[in-house]
């Protein structure tokens, strides 16, 4: 009897944990296509799941970080969604490829047509091309607002504390990877150059050897021809002497 009660209690507890964990795991997130390298450009996707059974997601607002502003933000068209890009003047201009940039994108808003809203049980991705990514940060935090058809707004704006415990409504975080080391590329280039030089040297060596072989062969032929000429000359002289003797 006690065993049965314990089993039932354990089942209820497990079910409760799953129910509580479910909504927390399905939140607005951001991931790069490939890698988001520091100092470079990347295509990123905001993934928006619909977490309600009685409403559809009709709007998404993504706020861009002000501590690391991005000078270039280009959204990809999403069928059935209107896209608004909001820019703001920077307190400190950015130096991008030698040019001063005085404004950057502060927010991108997607608004759905009635037929394009994210229905219960579905999700939608919203792609952006962004850059130039900072080279002095390990991540970028994008605070997002998700609006449902019943006027409910879920604010995905909480940053993960130092303890590492995920908050109830975490903000989307883009993890940045280290840029590819130029030294490696240079080393590869130097190695290739070295290989080319080595190959060229070897080729030159082979050419020289071939020339030497050809010269040696020519010398041998000349010597043979010289000996043959001498023999023929001696034979001619002997023939002439004999002919004179017969005549006399």
């Amino acid at each position: 009897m006690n065993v049965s009660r314990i089993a039932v209690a354990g089942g209820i507890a497990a079910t409760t944990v799953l129910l509580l964990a479910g909504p927390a795991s399905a939140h607005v997130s951001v991931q790069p296509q490939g890698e988001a390298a520091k100092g470079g450009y990347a295509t990123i996707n905001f993934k928006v799941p619909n977490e309600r059974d009685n409403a559809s997601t009709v709007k998404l607002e993504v706020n861009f970080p002000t501590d690391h502003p991005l000078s270039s933000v280009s959204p990809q068209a999403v069928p059935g969604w209107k896209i608004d890009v909001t820019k703001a003047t920077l307190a400190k201009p950015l130096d991008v490829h030698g040019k001063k940039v005085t404004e950057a994108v502060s927010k991108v808003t997607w608004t759905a047509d009635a037929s394009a809203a994210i229905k219960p049980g579905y999700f939608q991705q919203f792609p952006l091309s962004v850059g130039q990514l900072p080279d002095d940060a390990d991540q970028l935090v994008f605070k997002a607002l998700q609006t449902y058809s019943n006027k409910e707004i879920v604010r995905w704006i909480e940053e993960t504390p130092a303890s590492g415990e995920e908050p109830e409504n975490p903000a989307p975080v883009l993890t940045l990877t280290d840029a590819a080391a130029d030294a490696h590329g240079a080393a590869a280039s130097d190695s290739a150059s070295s290989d080319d030089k080595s190959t060229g040297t070897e080729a030159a060596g082979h050419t020289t050897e071939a020339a030497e072989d050809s010269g040696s062969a020519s010398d041998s032929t000349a010597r043979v021809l010289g000996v043959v000429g001498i023999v023929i000359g001696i034979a001619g002289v002997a023939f002439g002497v004999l002919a004179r003797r017969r005549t006399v």
Side-chain angles (χ1 to χ4, degrees):
M1 192 68 167
N2 291 336
V3 174
S4 299
R5 290 179 180 177
I6 292 174
V8 172
I12 294 174
T15 303
T16 303
V17 169
L18 290 174
L19 290 174
L20 292 175
S25 61
H27 54 75
V28 175
S29 61
V30 60
Q31 292 292 334
Q33 290 184 8
E35 291 187 347
K38 297 177 182 179
Y41 292 78
T43 297
I44 60 177
N45 280 319
F46 286 91
K47 182 179 179 181
V48 182
N50 192 90
E51 296 184 301
R52 301 294 180 264
D53 295 330
N54 59 350
S56 299
T57 298
V58 296
K59 186 177 181 180
L60 173 69
E61 297 178 48
V62 174
N63 293 278
F64 282 68
T66 57
D67 54 343
H68 292 100
L70 302 176
S71 60
S72 175
V73 177
S74 302
Q76 180 177 320
V78 180
W81 291 77
K82 177 186 175 183
I83 305 174
D84 291 316
V85 179
T86 304
K87 294 185 177 182
T89 301
L90 298 173
K92 181 181 179 181
L94 296 174
D95 187 357
V96 181
H97 303 304
K99 295 182 179 180
K100 295 294 182 182
V101 177
T102 58
E103 64 177 12
V105 171
S106 59
K107 180 173 65 175
V108 177
T109 304
W110 291 265
T111 305
D113 295 338
S115 60
I118 307 172
K119 297 176 173 56
Y122 288 82
F123 75 91
Q124 177 67 53
Q125 293 193 78
F126 299 89
L128 290 173
S129 174
V130 299
Q132 186 174 358
L133 299 173
D135 54 12
D136 58 350
D138 294 324
Q139 63 180 28
L140 292 177
V141 179
F142 298 87
K143 297 184 178 182
L145 277 65
Q146 181 179 10
T147 302
Y148 285 92
S149 55
N150 60 2
K151 307 303 181 183
E152 177 189 4
I153 298 177
V154 180
R155 302 177 183 276
W156 304 101
I157 61 174
E158 299 178 71
E159 297 188 37
T160 303
S163 62
E165 182 179 355
E166 185 176 86
E168 183 178 355
N169 293 314
V173 176
L174 177 66
T175 300
L176 304 182
T177 60
D178 291 333
D182 291 338
H184 291 171
S189 177
D190 291 344
S191 176
S193 177
S194 176
D195 290 342
D196 290 341
K197 292 178 180 177
S198 176
T199 302
T201 302
E202 291 176 2
H206 291 320
T207 302
T208 302
E209 290 175 3
E212 290 176 352
D213 292 342
S214 177
S216 178
S218 298
D219 291 342
S220 298
T221 302
R223 290 174 182 174
V224 171
L225 292 176
V227 171
V228 172
I230 292 171
V231 172
I232 293 174
I234 293 173
V237 172
F239 181 77
V241 172
L242 292 174
R244 287 181 182 179
R245 287 181 178 179
R246 288 176 182 177
T247 302
V248 174

